[in-house]
Amino acid sequence: MSSNPEKQEKNLYWNNEEQEKLKNYDFLESEFQPSLYMGFPVHILSIKFKNGICKIKAQFSYCKEDGVPYVLAIVNYIAKREHGKYKLYNWLSYEKMNWNFSTVGIVDFYYPINHKFDIEKAKKLNDFINHVCSKLNVLPEPFEYYFAADYDYIQNLKGIDYYIGMGGESTPRGQATENQVFCSGLGEFYPHEVFHVLIDKHFPNKHLWVSEGIATFLGGSRGKSLKWHIKKTNQYLQNNLQINLNEMLKLTNLDNETSYHYVLGGLIAKKIMDKGGWNLLREFMSSGTNDEDYYKAIEIHLGVNKSEINEYIRNQLQVESEK
């Protein structure tokens, strides 16, 4: 914990196999912002050996001035011998052996043993992959897809027993990493995160709202279609006329179901597709990474300058809601 693991650089304490295979080899590092290793005191709760495998449970926490404990997370690691010395491994690399496994097309599906695998939904996901990759001129690459009914099962699979904010209503949720998708609530078909894992790396010169917007346009968000998010957001904005969408990139979550970068980014992506098809969408996906680039791309591709965005977005939300 004193070796700056948040840098994800070559680490003497981590196994070579995962470091050579993956850039972000420690799956837990990016679960928290800016990092799991952001400076919380670390308490080793237990170290247990069985059949040559060492299981380590660690708590990242501190006590506040009033004596109340603040626990960021309780997580697990595996340690095994590599060339005679114990090295750390992701808990996932060990725990996934206790899940069922099926391969359909280029996707390796991992799921709880009590889940009945839906082959038709798995084929539908592969059809989505082939269609989108073909349109965006991207070669599909195999990846791992982990899914369960509830996201806490996914967190346990990755080695997280507890994390700050755990609990609440169970809704569809997902995350994409280097070559893995983790998701819950939608079974074998969670296209939003699959878009990220297959496409994002091929278009690095794009704004976050471009990435999230196109993923929502093509694959929905949190289990709902872009149209559903548009109708919900349109009604909300009609009741909140004081919100200035000329500064929309400063907006975050509308509520626990809808975020502005999903719905407004998705609306912009749809309008660009409607105007110029996949060719214009590909051009939009290489239009720059900063906020000024995004506003400029809207002006170039849709003819809407920044001072007109509030009126344009509100009008188009209404148009799409009525379709």
Side-chain angles (χ1 to χ4, degrees), residues 83-323:
H83 305 302
K85 294 183 179 181
Y86 276 101
K87 297 295 179 71
L88 292 171
Y89 288 75
N90 287 292
W91 183 264
L92 176 70
S93 63
Y94 173 85
E95 190 62 25
K96 71 179 183 181
M97 293 185 291
N98 296 320
W99 280 37
N100 277 344
F101 169 78
S102 299
T103 297
V104 179
I106 66 166
V107 187
D108 292 336
F109 292 91
Y110 291 86
Y111 49 96
I113 57 174
N114 61 353
H115 175 79
K116 184 178 179 181
F117 190 74
D118 190 330
I119 184 65
E120 293 306 317
K121 289 180 73 174
K123 289 179 179 178
K124 182 181 178 182
L125 186 69
N126 275 274
D127 289 342
F128 172 83
I129 291 168
N130 293 330
H131 174 70
V132 172
C133 287
S134 173
K135 293 297 185 180
L136 294 177
N137 297 330
V138 167
L139 180 66
E141 297 179 4
F143 63 95
E144 297 174 344
Y145 181 103
Y146 300 86
F147 70 97
D150 188 280
Y151 202 72
D152 284 346
Y153 288 110
I154 298 295
Q155 297 295 67
N156 292 156
L157 176 68
K158 288 190 281 187
I160 303 175
D161 289 346
Y162 167 83
Y163 57 95
I164 190 72
M166 184 179 181
E169 183 179 356
S170 180
T171 57
R173 181 179 172 187
Q175 179 188 23
T177 62
E178 207 167 328
N179 66 342
Q180 299 165 321
V181 167
F182 301 97
C183 56
S184 67
L186 298 179
E188 295 83 349
F189 187 71
Y190 204 117
H192 182 110
E193 299 302 337
V194 169
F195 173 87
H196 286 314
V197 80
L198 287 173
I199 304 300
D200 277 354
K201 59 189 174 184
H202 296 283
F203 296 87
N205 188 32
K206 66 181 180 307
H207 193 273
L208 170 67
W209 276 48
V210 174
S211 177
E212 294 296 350
I214 296 177
T216 303
F217 168 51
L218 297 175
S221 175
R222 299 173 181 172
K224 304 293 186 180
S225 67
L226 174 60
K227 187 168 185 177
W228 183 93
H229 287 280
I230 284 176
K231 287 185 175 182
K232 179 183 179 69
T233 305
N234 182 52
Q235 185 62 53
Y236 179 81
L237 290 174
Q238 285 181 353
N239 296 329
N240 293 272
L241 297 177
Q242 77 282 2
I243 295 177
N244 181 14
L245 299 180
N246 289 340
E247 300 292 341
M248 63 180 182
L249 296 183
K250 296 180 180 179
L251 302 175
T252 54
N253 291 342
L254 189 149
D255 57 22
N256 64 348
E257 292 180 309
T258 303
S259 295
Y260 286 105
H261 58 281
Y262 295 135
V263 59
L264 302 188
L267 176 66
I268 294 295
K270 183 181 186 305
K271 291 303 172 182
I272 287 177
M273 174 72 92
D274 290 346
K275 181 180 179 181
W278 289 97
N279 288 335
L280 192 61
L281 196 68
R282 283 196 299 271
E283 189 175 334
F284 183 51
M285 293 172 69
S286 298
S287 56
T289 61
N290 62 49
D291 291 357
E292 292 76 13
D293 293 331
Y294 187 70
Y295 287 124
K296 188 64 176 178
I298 293 174
E299 182 177 354
I300 291 172
H301 299 309
L302 296 178
V304 181
N305 64 49
K306 189 171 182 291
S307 64
E308 301 169 331
I309 286 178
N310 182 64
E311 180 181 2
Y312 175 80
I313 290 288
R314 288 178 179 273
N315 287 341
Q316 293 304 315
L317 285 173
Q318 183 63 33
V319 168
E320 295 296 328
S321 294
E322 294 174 353
K323 288 183 178 180

